[in-house]
């Protein structure tokens, strides 16, 4: 078979990790579609198998290595098959992946994704392992390292988006914070902000294609800084540049770094109506000793001061957080401080993780992973239970109120058993739909599928810790809350 002129080759891609990875996969798929590939959901049917990987915790890596293990003999049936590991684990483990899984054909880091179509062809032609990764952060000058991590944003594939109305837009790559537990500065390289003109162009193009909501992505998105034609653009300036694009309804940005939550950004959240009243600002721990060992660069007092400013500028703003439990040296007393902070801050939700030591990080080299797994698990559950209790109480405040929802599509439970019925009086179709409020709360309600992709008013009747449950508002007059 002639593989140079690719026709209807089948691609299977599996993505784990953060939104940045989802976006990377969207772009890789778009490039491969352009090269003649079509997607398959069946790994046994694929000519090319790609794993877009995450290295933040050991568990995510273990899952990929076992998926690779299952493919050990898959080339017996398909000798031309190409198996690739791309993304963070590729940058972190490099050659080690070929050693642990010799049937892998390509290993491509986060900074080389643009080369994937070419590398696949090369591998199929020469049947030699292909390795494309960026420079290690200790091995060259900052400029050389930065140049070796290329932001990858040229192509979009609407079919890989979370929904036709929502799109991620990368505004920066990399991270320079070097929190001691975190592998991201190694896997995604130095912090580099993209030029505002490219981002604005991309947003306008997406909106012209029907996108209603953009989520700006960056590891520390509020550290965004770029000087263009002698003018410094901060995140607030960037948002103002495209906020008024007709057809665009919502703007979100993740993930924020507490120390860079400046007043100009909070003013933008307050004054620009399309910006979600929602900030994801991970604190990681409620204990100053732990924060110091994590090298987070702030104290609980700083974080509290920031929460105060958020509440002062945008009183109805929802805040969510991340916590790591069982970090090196976390005592019961330090854990209790995280519990106290969750109680005090009343986050909309929190993502809670058990500390997982990562090769190449300071914490791995300097500190003992001294909290037993069982203790990590107990602390994780305890913090999550408390957060759920708070989220449920918080959601209950919405009962009887009206929220504006950007309708995303059928709800997950509706996808399992599509609850599409006809209204006896009008004959209109109704389905269980899901969307989010302006403060990023998930709202499930029954409505006409034609509402998908529009803003709808929904009255909240009930809730769970994670979801508001409501019904479409017709003529009632109810107080609106965010
Ligand atoms: N172990 C556990 N959780 C981690 N995170 C980052 N690195 C680690 C690690 N080594 C968590 C942080 C971060 C989120 C994306 O993942 O809470 O905010
Ligand atoms: Fe990792 Fe810290 Fe950078 Fe976030 S800010 S990506 S936790 S190093």
């Amino acid at each position: 078979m002639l593989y140079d002129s690719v026709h209807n080759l089948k691609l299977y891609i599996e993505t784990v990790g953060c939104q940045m990875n989802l976006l990377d996969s969207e772009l890789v798929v778009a490039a491969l579609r352009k090269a003649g590939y079509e997607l398959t959901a069946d790994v046994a049917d694929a000519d090319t198998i790609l794993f877009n990987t995450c290295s933040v915790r050991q568990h995510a890596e273990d899952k990929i290595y076992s998926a690779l293990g299952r493919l050990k003999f898959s080339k017996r049936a398909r000798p031309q098959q190409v198996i690739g590991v791309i993304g963070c684990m590729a940058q972190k483990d490099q050659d080690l992946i070929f050693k642990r899984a010799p049937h892998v054909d390509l290993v491509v880091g986060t900074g080389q994704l643009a080369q994937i179509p070419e590398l696949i062809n090369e591998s199929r032609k020469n049947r030699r392992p292909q390795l494309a990764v960026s420079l290690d952060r200790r091995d060259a000058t900052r400029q050389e390292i930065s140049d070796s991590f290329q932001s990858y944003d040229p192509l979009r594939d609407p079919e890989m988006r979370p929904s036709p109305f929502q799109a991620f837009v990368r505004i920066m790559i990399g991270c320079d914070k070097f929190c001691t537990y975190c592998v991201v500065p190694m896997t995604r390289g130095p912090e580099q902000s993209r030029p505002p003109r490219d981002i604005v162009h991309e947003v306008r193009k997406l909106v012209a294609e029907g996108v209603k909501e953009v989520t700006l992505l960056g590891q520390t998105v509020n550290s965004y800084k770029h000087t263009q034609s002698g003018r410094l653009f901060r995140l607030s300036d960037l948002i103002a540049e495209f906020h008024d694009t007709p057809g665009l309804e919502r703007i979100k940005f993740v993930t924020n770094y507490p120390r860079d939550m400046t007043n100009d950004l909070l003013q933008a959240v307050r004054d620009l109506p399309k910006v979600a009243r929602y900030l994801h600002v991970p604190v990681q721990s409620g204990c100053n000793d732990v924060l110091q060992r994590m090298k987070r660069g702030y104290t609980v007092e700083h974080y509290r001061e920031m929460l105060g400013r958020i509440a002062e500028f945008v009183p109805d703003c929802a805040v969510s957080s991340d916590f790591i439990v069982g970090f090196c040296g976390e005592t019961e007393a330090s854990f209790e401080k995280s519990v106290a902070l969750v109680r005090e801050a009343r986050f909309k939700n929190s993502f809670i993780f058990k500390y997982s030591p990562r090769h190449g990080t300071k914490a791995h080299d300097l500190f003992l992973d001294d909290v037993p797994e069982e203790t990590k698990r107990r602390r994780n559950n305890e913090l999550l239970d408390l957060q759920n209790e708070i989220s449920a109480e918080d959601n209950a405040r919405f009962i009887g109120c009206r929220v504006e929802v950007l309708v995303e599509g059928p709800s997950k439970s509706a996808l399992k058993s599509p609850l599409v019925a006809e209204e006896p009086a009008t004959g209109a179709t109704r389905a269980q739909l899901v969307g989010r409020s302006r403060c990023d709360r998930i709202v499930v309600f029954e409505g006409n599928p034609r509402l998908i992709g529009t803003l709808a008013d929904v009255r909240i009747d009930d809730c769970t810790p994670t979801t508001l449950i409501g019904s479409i508002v017709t003529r009632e007059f109810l107080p609106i809350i965010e």
Side-chain angles (χ1 to χ4, degrees):
M1 204 184 290
L2 236 184
Y3 276 93
D4 263 347
S5 55
V6 260
H7 285 296
N8 290 329
L9 281 177
K10 298 226 169 100
L11 167 69
Y12 174 89
I13 184 163
E14 217 172 283
T15 307
V16 292
C18 63
Q19 285 142 325
M20 209 51 115
N21 272 15
L22 290 176
L23 175 57
D24 283 337
S25 289
E26 177 186 328
L27 300 170
V28 167
V29 169
L32 288 174
R33 273 225 179 92
K34 230 178 144 194
Y37 276 84
E38 62 183 61
L39 277 176
T40 174
D42 181 6
V43 69
D45 192 32
D47 303 285
T48 297
I49 301 170
L50 295 179
F51 293 97
N52 192 2
T53 58
C54 170
S55 288
V56 162
R57 280 168 292 275
Q58 185 65 43
H59 178 63
E61 295 194 344
D62 292 345
K63 279 210 310 220
I64 298 296
Y65 277 116
S66 48
L68 288 172
R70 286 193 293 275
L71 294 174
K72 205 166 174 181
F73 303 113
S74 112
K75 274 188 234 161
R76 280 190 189 159
R78 287 181 169 268
Q80 292 292 334
Q81 194 173 55
V82 172
I83 301 175
V85 175
I86 68 174
C88 287
M89 209 176 97
Q91 179 61 39
K92 175 175 159 282
D93 284 359
Q94 306 190 359
D95 277 330
L96 185 69
I97 298 175
F98 295 128
K99 288 198 191 100
R100 286 185 64 175
H103 52 297
V104 167
D105 301 286
L106 45 124
V107 169
V108 186
T110 56
Q112 287 70 31
L113 300 179
Q115 299 171 28
I116 286 178
E118 198 186 310
L119 291 169
I120 294 176
N121 280 345
E122 200 53 35
S123 151
R124 203 164 264 138
K125 245 199 288 181
N126 300 332
R127 297 275 79 181
R128 266 203 302 272
Q130 306 289 320
L131 174 72
V133 289
S134 300
L135 296 170
D136 282 354
R137 289 205 69 162
R138 294 182 195 119
D139 287 357
T141 65
R142 183 183 168 87
Q143 192 56 50
E144 286 164 344
I145 299 166
S146 293
D147 291 347
S148 79
F149 281 91
Q150 295 275 315
S151 183
Y152 179 45
D153 303 280
L155 292 162
R156 307 300 306 233
D157 189 331
E159 283 187 46
M160 285 301 284
R161 274 190 214 133
S163 90
F165 316 104
Q166 296 168 293
F168 296 127
V169 174
R170 187 183 343 252
I171 66 165
M172 58 199 293
I173 60 168
C175 181
D176 283 344
K177 307 292 188 208
F178 286 98
C179 302
T180 56
Y181 53 80
C182 186
V183 79
V184 168
M186 275 63 80
T187 61
R188 292 214 171 251
E191 181 184 306
Q192 302 182 71
S193 295
R194 290 179 66 207
R197 72 169 74 80
D198 293 0
I199 297 166
V200 171
H201 181 254
E202 194 172 323
V203 170
R204 297 220 169 106
K205 196 159 162 273
L206 287 165
V207 173
E209 287 169 15
V211 165
K212 301 275 167 67
E213 175 187 281
V214 294
T215 302
L216 309 180
L217 297 185
Q219 243 67 48
T220 55
V221 74
N222 56 338
S223 319
Y224 178 89
K225 261 190 197 73
H226 198 286
T227 303
Q228 181 178 286
S229 314
R231 179 182 161 203
L232 175 71
F233 283 78
R234 302 161 296 180
L235 178 57
S236 57
D237 305 309
L238 177 71
I239 293 174
E241 281 295 289
F242 64 77
H243 177 271
D244 293 340
T245 308
L248 177 63
E249 303 283 4
R250 290 249 175 99
I251 301 165
K252 295 188 204 171
F253 49 89
V254 285
T255 289
N256 292 284
Y257 185 66
R259 253 193 17 201
D260 293 334
M261 192 60 81
T262 46
N263 288 350
D264 59 290
L265 185 59
L266 296 178
Q267 273 154 4
V269 177
R270 180 191 64 194
D271 298 337
L272 299 174
K274 294 179 185 177
V275 179
R277 268 56 179 148
Y278 162 62
L279 295 167
H280 181 59
V281 207
V283 63
Q284 311 297 2
S285 169
C287 170
N288 283 337
D289 292 345
V290 174
L291 286 174
Q292 198 175 16
R293 271 198 301 282
M294 289 178 166
K295 205 168 140 291
R296 283 290 285 177
Y298 55 81
T299 60
V300 179
E301 289 70 30
H302 288 132
Y303 190 85
R304 192 175 283 130
E305 185 273 336
M306 178 206 70
L307 287 178
R309 270 187 303 115
I310 295 176
E312 179 192 323
F313 279 93
V314 197
D316 48 12
C317 193
V319 177
S320 64
S321 191
D322 291 350
F323 282 86
I324 295 177
V325 293
F327 186 62
C328 316
E330 186 190 68
T331 61
E332 214 49 42
S334 34
F335 169 67
E336 282 306 323
K337 291 181 181 162
S338 291
V339 173
L341 184 62
V342 167
R343 202 165 268 135
E344 173 193 335
R346 301 190 67 85
F347 298 110
K348 173 176 80 87
N349 64 287
S350 293
F351 299 96
I352 299 159
F353 306 104
K354 293 177 287 179
Y355 172 59
S356 166
R358 311 281 55 218
H359 267 282
T361 61
K362 276 242 164 64
H364 178 268
D365 294 347
L366 298 179
F367 310 131
L368 210 60
D369 175 24
D370 56 356
V371 178
E373 181 59 27
E374 212 181 288
T375 310
K376 287 180 184 171
R377 197 173 320 128
R378 174 180 50 79
R379 290 180 186 167
N380 191 329
N381 292 341
E382 204 175 312
L383 209 55
L384 197 62
D385 285 349
L386 173 62
Q387 177 62 62
N388 281 343
E389 217 175 277
I390 289 167
S391 301
E393 280 170 20
D394 235 32
N395 279 351
R397 284 188 310 124
F398 286 77
I399 294 176
C401 294
R402 184 155 59 110
V403 293
E404 193 186 57
V405 176
L406 180 65
V407 187
E408 293 172 11
S411 77
K412 267 201 200 125
S413 55
L415 285 176
K416 273 186 229 140
S417 57
L419 186 143
V420 181
E422 275 198 1
E423 244 173 39
T426 60
T429 314
R430 295 180 77 76
Q432 206 175 64
L433 303 175
V434 68
R436 283 190 191 247
S437 72
R438 282 232 300 161
C439 58
D440 203 55
R441 286 182 165 84
I442 300 169
V443 183
V444 171
F445 61 100
E446 228 180 73
N448 191 315
R450 270 200 313 230
L451 290 170
I452 294 169
T454 70
L455 290 171
D457 282 346
V458 175
R459 184 194 61 220
I460 303 307
D461 309 315
D462 201 356
C463 71
T464 72
T466 53
T467 312
L468 301 177
I469 302 157
S471 36
I472 272 286
V473 176
T474 42
R475 254 168 287 149
E476 295 113 300
F477 179 77
L478 293 164
I480 286 201
I481 62 172
E482 293 289 346

